[in-house]
Amino acid sequence: ATIDLSAGNHTVKFMSYAFESRKTITTLKLGENANYDFGYGSFRYCKIAELNLPATSTYIFGGESFRETAITTLKLPDGIDLTFGTNAFFKCTALTSVEFGENATYVIGSGCFRYCPIPKVVLAPNSTYTIGSQAFINTELTELDMSAGNMTVMFENSAFNCWLDSKLYCNL
């Protein structure tokens, strides 16, 4: 099943648990010039595989809003400030890529990408990041790239798990 909001120009608040466990929901189409608020657990346990975020819309991701979905890639648009609640993408076992946009402020809640098989995180320039406790713990992360420079990053306790043979690239 598809939830199609592609017409845009609207405000949508998905209340807590709005579509939780609706395994027939595989597609969520979002529109331009809209405001989306994904409440706690709103799409938790659905089979959504793709989440495209139009650059002209705004988003709030509540806690566990997309927990254990089938999303494979999360590409965040330039210039859109985003807040991800606790465990927003927890245990999305198909999620292997997160691309941060430039000129934005990101608040990544605790456990946000916990148990996702993300191998590499590249932080975009001209952005500010607050990375919550255990945000990337128990992932397959082996590389954190901050080499683009011109960014502010605050790491909370245990933001990343300890990994062997890891790489950290910084532009100091």
Side-chain angles (χ1 to χ4, degrees):
T2 298
I3 296 176
D4 189 349
L5 302 168
S6 60
N9 296 316
H10 49 256
T11 297
V12 179
K13 177 167 179 57
F14 296 98
M15 300 303 285
S16 296
Y17 311 110
F19 292 98
E20 180 189 35
S21 298
R22 302 300 195 286
K23 298 199 186 300
T24 58
I25 299 174
T26 57
T27 305
L28 176 61
K29 295 182 180 179
L30 303 176
E32 300 279 342
N33 303 309
N35 301 300
Y36 298 101
D37 184 345
F38 301 103
Y40 188 92
S42 52
F43 287 94
R44 181 167 69 170
Y45 310 128
C46 291
K47 295 299 178 191
I48 296 170
E50 188 175 333
L51 183 62
N52 291 318
L53 304 176
T56 58
S57 293
T58 62
Y59 309 90
I60 297 172
F61 293 90
E64 298 194 15
S65 50
F66 287 90
R67 177 184 174 155
E68 295 184 51
T69 58
I71 294 170
T72 59
T73 300
L74 188 59
K75 185 173 173 33
L76 307 173
D78 292 340
I80 301 292
D81 296 340
L82 294 171
T83 298
F84 298 97
T86 300
N87 296 326
F89 293 92
F90 178 89
K91 239 183 198 179
C92 288
T93 56
L95 184 58
T96 58
S97 176
V98 178
E99 299 177 35
F100 292 96
E102 296 184 24
N103 303 307
T105 298
Y106 296 101
V107 178
I108 302 168
S110 63
C112 184
F113 296 105
R114 189 174 185 173
Y115 294 107
C116 297
I118 302 167
K120 177 180 178 179
V121 171
V122 178
L123 301 183
N126 305 312
S127 294
T128 300
Y129 301 87
T130 300
I131 301 176
S133 64
Q134 301 184 356
F136 289 92
I137 201 165
N138 296 102
T139 63
E140 294 179 11
L141 195 64
T142 58
E143 190 172 333
L144 174 61
D145 187 344
M146 299 187 300
S147 64
N150 198 27
M151 64 182 71
T152 301
V153 183
M154 184 184 86
F155 299 104
E156 292 183 3
N157 294 337
S158 303
F160 297 87
N161 57 325
C162 295
W163 54 83
L164 299 174
D165 301 321
S166 60
K167 299 175 186 175
L168 173 62
Y169 299 100
C170 297
N171 182 3
L172 301 174

